[in-house]
Amino acid sequence: MTKAAKKANSETVQWTKKHLLGIEGLTRAEIELILDTAPHFIEVSERSSRIKKVPLLQGRLVVNWFHEPSTRTRTSFELAAKRLTADTLNMVSGGDSSEVKGETLHDTLANIEAMHSDIVVIRHSQAGAPHILAQRHRSHIINAGDGRHEHPTQALLDAYTIRDHIREHRNDPEATLDGVKVVLVGDIEHSRVARSNILCLNKLGAQVTLCGPKTLMPMGVERMGATVTHNLHDAIADTDIIYSLRMQLERQQAGLFPSLGEYIRLFRIDERSLAHVPGHIPVLHPGPINRDIELASTIADGPRSLVLKQVTNGVAIRMAVMHLLANSGTE
Ligand code: NCD
């Protein structure tokens, strides 16, 4: 397909999905529709002397329902909803909620819906929790991370950030991710970010390489359409993008790699491992960073880092997702 044909395709695609449960169910055209809707919302957030809001979700109720710790994703969704002029509600889970009294997810959501929620953003440690809720309930469900399974808005904001970088670097405002080489480094096994990114980048035509210790590499992950290597030097010798993943210490059992010292020596993204990588090759990380474990502070805070760009773009991507779900007649 030519660039012009692709553009026409993404402009004519209509949003038809009621929920955003994963990248798995999305087509390339749908992903590109989300990415192409975001710049308008970036402009809204960048207004300095005017109101940083648009009334696209005025009077609607967005409920943030997080069952796992989160700073970036929860605040990003809350801010995105507020910038769309929605009402927002942050639900507690665990110790302070009725879940400790044995209330099921379905019961809790039925009660939230009795207060007329429109969009429910859920993070849960059980893979598939958002999908189960979406089958039974009326609200638009957005998966903000389910166990080790998927984290679709993270992959979308990453794809947006990578595409933006490529467009700027090539001085081509219509450049796509076709043929762009991306290396994901670190704890692939426990990472929903890695899974959603592999799916998303593949659908957008990028070439994905996974690099990490054997013990943190899921069996058969090549079948998802990625190349696997255990040698960081080889992996990043000729890449366009480096994506460092957080070591998911809370999801690991002991003994998955010999020692943190060993991991750092072989896989850390730092001045030493990047010594021969051209200066324009950027480094991304979803946050929170285990500083100086998977990523050296000098790199995280240095000129290659797109980490804070990812955070900025995340708000616009979440605004785009909520707008498309709630305003496309998919009730
Ligand atoms: C990710 C998550 O929670 O899956 N963080 C995030 O959403 N920004 C990545 C991680 O915790 O490693």
Side-chain angles (χ1 to χ4, degrees), residues 294-315:
E294 69 264 2
L295 181 60
S297 283
T298 47
I299 305 296
D301 303 331
R304 291 182 194 264
S305 174
L306 293 181
V307 171
L308 294 179
K309 257 273 168 61
Q310 289 170 271
V311 177
T312 303
N313 293 338
V315 177

Side-chain angles (χ1 to χ4, degrees), residues 36-96:
D36 294 340
T37 305
H40 170 62
F41 296 121
I42 290 194
E43 186 274 317
V44 171
S45 294
E46 279 174 353
R47 292 173 181 174
S48 53
S49 56
R50 287 180 297 137
I51 297 169
K52 290 188 183 56
K53 265 181 193 281
V54 281
L56 288 166
L57 288 187
Q58 187 157 29
R60 304 279 192 109
L61 177 58
V62 176
V63 178
N64 259 339
W65 192 21
F66 278 61
H67 297 253
E68 276 189 347
S70 170
T71 308
R72 251 159 298 266
T73 307
R74 192 177 47 72
T75 50
S76 181
F77 270 110
E78 184 174 355
L79 194 56
K82 290 191 154 121
R83 290 202 170 146
L84 292 168
T85 326
D87 292 322
T88 56
L89 202 64
N90 284 305
M91 294 274 298
V92 293
S93 66
D96 290 337

Side-chain angles (χ1 to χ4, degrees), residues 28 45 76 130 133 138 159 191 213 221 258 278:
R28 176 174 183 156
S45 294
S76 181
L133 292 171
R138 184 189 43 73
S191 175
V221 71

Side-chain angles (χ1 to χ4, degrees), residues 178-191:
D178 283 302
V180 170
K181 289 177 252 170
V182 182
V183 179
L184 305 183
V185 186
D187 181 359
I188 313 288
E189 169 76 22
H190 300 94
S191 175

Side-chain angles (χ1 to χ4, degrees), residues 172-211:
D172 174 1
E174 289 182 9
T176 67
L177 290 192
D178 283 302
V180 170
K181 289 177 252 170
V182 182
V183 179
L184 305 183
V185 186
D187 181 359
I188 313 288
E189 169 76 22
H190 300 94
S191 175
R192 54 194 173 206
V193 173
R195 227 187 107 74
S196 286
N197 260 295
I198 298 167
L199 291 166
C200 189
L201 291 166
N202 265 333
K203 288 187 189 211
L204 293 174
Q207 293 171 23
V208 182
T209 299
L210 308 175
C211 177

Side-chain angles (χ1 to χ4, degrees), residues 68-70 72-73 123 144-145 151 154 192-193 245-246 248 250-251 285-288 318:
E68 276 189 347
S70 170
R72 251 159 298 266
T73 307
R123 169 170 287 194
H151 190 350
Q154 180 70 45
R192 54 194 173 206
V193 173
L245 291 161
R246 185 174 67 85
Q248 307 263 315
E250 78 282 15
R251 290 187 212 279
H285 189 292
R318 291 176 174 120

